Amino acid sequence: MTGNDPFANALSAIDNAESVGHLDQTVSPASNEIGSVLEVFYDRGYIDGFSFVDDGKAGEFEVELKGAINECGPVKPRYSAGADEFEKWEKRFLPARDYGTLVVSTSHGIMSHYEAREEGVGGQVIAYVY
């Protein structure tokens, strides 16, 4: 039985694999949104890498973990945040100031809240990781 939210399932699978000490995890089905979030995780140093594997259906991601994730998950419902409002959401989803990353979907693509603040754009908070 599969869940109704592939994005939440992917983050849950990564979180569970990290908590038991696995070094790799297969995330299926693949999507552009999941790929963009994995790119943010890679850029911020939470994973060692990931690759897309075409299985003839939706595809899947092979994620190389490195044990740097304490917790990650989706933000439901997806809250809108202006470029100057990220601190409010940091307090809500992250354990300490400047510890962890919010993943934000903006008009410039999916990025970390640090990049969004730097570019001066707001968007929807879709995930967190620390």
Side-chain angles (χ1 to χ4, degrees), residues 89-112:
W89 302 108
E90 281 183 81
K91 289 178 184 176
R92 184 162 183 182
F93 292 107
L94 301 178
R97 186 182 184 109
D98 294 331
Y99 182 78
T101 303
L102 297 173
V103 181
V104 183
S105 176
T106 69
S107 58
H108 297 260
I110 294 178
M111 60 183 71
S112 72

Side-chain angles (χ1 to χ4, degrees), residues 20-32:
V20 297
H22 291 177
L23 295 177
D24 58 351
Q25 177 65 35
T26 302
V27 174
S28 149
S31 71
N32 290 337

Side-chain angles (χ1 to χ4, degrees), residues 16-85:
N16 291 339
E18 280 276 357
S19 66
V20 297
H22 291 177
L23 295 177
D24 58 351
Q25 177 65 35
T26 302
V27 174
S28 149
S31 71
N32 290 337
E33 180 184 32
I34 295 170
S36 297
V37 170
L38 290 174
E39 186 69 36
V40 171
F41 284 11
Y42 177 74
D43 291 342
R44 300 294 301 169
Y46 290 103
I47 61 175
D48 276 337
F50 66 98
S51 60
F52 176 76
V53 177
D54 187 10
D55 63 356
K57 296 178 249 173
E60 59 189 23
F61 287 110
E62 292 287 334
V63 183
E64 299 170 28
L65 305 173
K66 68 182 205 179
I69 297 176
N70 294 316
E71 187 174 336
C72 69
V75 173
K76 294 286 184 144
R78 296 189 174 168
Y79 297 104
S80 295
D84 56 345
E85 297 175 343

Side-chain angles (χ1 to χ4, degrees), residues 116-128:
R117 186 181 296 143
E118 186 177 294
E119 291 186 19
V121 296
Q124 289 190 322
V125 180
I126 62 171
Y128 64 91

